[in-house]
Amino acid sequence: MKTLFSKPIIEKEKSRIREEVLALKNNHGITPGLSVILIGNDPASQIYTSSKGRAAEELGMKHETLTFDKSVSVEEVHQTVKKLNEDPSVHGILIQRPVPPQFKESDLIEWITPEKDVDGFHPMNIGKLHLGLPCLQPCTPTGIIRLVKHYGFPLSGKHVVIIGRSSIVGKPASALFLRENSTVTTVHSKSQRIKEICKSADILVVAAGKPHLVNSEWIKPGAIVIDVGIHRQNNKVIGDVDFEDIKEKASAITPVPKGIGPMTIMELLNNTLISAKLSQKVLEEK
Ligand code: NAD
């Protein structure tokens, strides 16, 4: 069984991004800029936000976190996003989830202009993704595809089963694997015969948000298993997959931590770079 660590990919991609950021500065006088909006004081969100900021600065990008009290008005945050949309020094904007209840997800996803939507959540980017057109793609599924390709696993014709149909992981992952000519099945909390379907997967992507949901009874011998889940339990970080239980049966598994999690942040920074290049027409939009 091979453990699919993300570190080698992260190192390679970070050095590419760092070089491209430098080239953008030297040749075009621009520094890619990422603005993160953090509302409230959710501890996990604070950690995610500061690691995004640190990673951006490490790669030579500009970064700012705009923090708001959890009681902030919807209008105030909306006006802030509008200003960031207009600011030419900002290339990527994201609103850290979860947000307090006064905010509606259906509004949030439309506020950030599609050109700066580095999370890839705007309906315009999602639509392009499903049409197979170039766009800012959601970070986690893009990281999954990059990791699987890095390790050289063929995707064309393979049966990929995805557990979960969220807008940020399951659904876009399905679109991206289809683009790679995989045969894709999505299962979710209302699906029947889930285990049976998962057992037919060459590649099983687990994004259910349920700690250790998947064990050896769910996979066929030799399957490749991608664990997207992140859960903190008793000071440990664990995934949706029981790694110890499946390690004799699977041919390859992403670990948690050190698997898909770090890929997500790296893809966010790559999206910020893409957005900065598009703003300067360094990268031609097709
Ligand atoms: P979500 O709660 O929005 O969606 C979960 C999906 O799983 C739903 O579609 C639901 O129908 C399905 N599901 C739940 N229980 C199931 C079951 N028993 N059988 C089959 N399907 C089931 O979650 P999400 O935002 O997609 O995140 C999923 C997990 O991935 C979470 O643990 C989250 O923390 C993690 N996550 C990790 C990263 C990363 O960077 N690695 C990024 C995003 C999410």
Side-chain angles (χ1 to χ4, degrees):
M1 192 280 298
K2 192 172 175 59
T3 306
L4 308 174
F5 289 105
S6 53
K7 194 172 177 192
I9 312 156
I10 303 280
E11 282 176 356
K12 181 171 145 228
E13 290 303 310
K14 276 191 171 174
S15 81
R16 174 188 62 81
I17 295 172
R18 208 177 276 117
E19 274 171 31
E20 292 193 31
V21 168
L22 198 61
L24 261 183
K25 275 186 201 165
N26 293 341
N27 303 333
H28 299 272
I30 61 155
T31 303
L34 174 67
S35 292
V36 179
I37 293 178
L38 176 63
I39 311 166
N41 49 10
D42 176 60
S45 294
Q46 285 169 337
I47 294 171
Y48 288 140
T49 305
S50 62
S51 40
K52 285 167 188 174
R54 260 198 321 276
E57 281 161 19
E58 234 183 79
L59 298 184
M61 297 183 179
K62 273 193 287 197
H63 160 263
E64 63 175 348
T65 299
L66 303 164
T67 49
F68 294 93
D69 190 83
K70 68 175 189 299
S71 62
V72 67
S73 72
V74 171
E75 191 48 31
E76 187 177 342
V77 179
H78 191 189
Q79 288 306 325
T80 303
V81 174
K82 280 185 181 167
K83 280 191 199 130
L84 295 171
N85 281 341
E86 310 272 297
D87 183 342
S89 72
V90 174
H91 304 97
I93 307 168
L94 74 84
I95 302 171
Q96 184 66 45
R97 270 60 165 193
V99 288
Q102 67 269 34
F103 293 92
K104 275 201 228 129
E105 184 60 34
S106 54
D107 292 337
L108 291 183
I109 57 170
E110 301 215 36
W111 285 357
I112 298 169
T113 184
E115 292 79 18
K116 298 188 182 186
D117 166 40
V118 281
D119 264 336
F121 293 168
H122 192 283
M124 179 79 89
N125 284 320
I126 295 289
K128 285 185 174 181
L129 179 82
H130 283 268
L131 291 169
L133 298 171
C135 59
L136 291 172
Q137 299 183 175
C139 302
T140 305
T142 302
I144 293 172
I145 298 282
R146 194 190 296 276
L147 181 137
V148 174
K149 283 187 170 177
H150 168 89
Y151 281 102
F153 300 116
L155 295 177
S156 180
K158 297 296 174 189
H159 187 204
V160 177
V161 175
I162 299 167
I163 307 181
R165 57 171 166 183
S166 71
S167 300
I168 64 168
V169 188
K171 280 184 198 153
S174 150
L176 288 175
F177 277 106
L178 269 181
R179 200 189 273 187
E180 299 296 332
N181 300 317
S182 305
T183 303
V184 182
T185 306
T186 300
V187 296
H188 47 80
S189 51
K190 299 282 187 289
S191 297
Q192 295 178 351
R193 301 183 299 106
I194 294 185
K195 272 193 201 179
E196 203 181 305
I197 296 167
C198 291
K199 267 190 153 165
S200 71
D202 300 306
I203 301 175
L204 180 63
V205 178
V206 192
K210 296 281 179 299
H212 285 187
L213 173 72
V214 169
N215 59 33
S216 57
E217 290 173 17
W218 292 59
I219 64 164
K220 73 173 176 188
I224 296 159
V225 181
I226 308 295
D227 188 354
V228 185
I230 302 180
H231 311 277
R232 280 172 187 80
Q233 277 191 355
N234 307 326
N235 290 329
K236 269 183 79 182
V237 179
I238 64 165
D240 283 359
V241 175
D242 188 341
F243 187 96
E244 287 303 314
D245 193 61
I246 70 161
K247 70 180 186 197
E248 306 296 334
K249 202 169 179 186
S251 66
I253 321 172
T254 59
V256 177
K258 298 186 180 174
I260 296 301
M263 294 298 292
T264 302
I265 294 192
M266 193 274 292
E267 296 297 347
L268 173 77
L269 300 172
N270 194 40
N271 274 351
T272 306
L273 173 66
I274 292 173
S275 168
K277 285 159 106 180
L278 285 171
S279 76
Q280 296 300 303
K281 309 267 183 273
V282 177
L283 192 70
E284 286 303 314
E285 196 160 17
K286 287 173 210 142

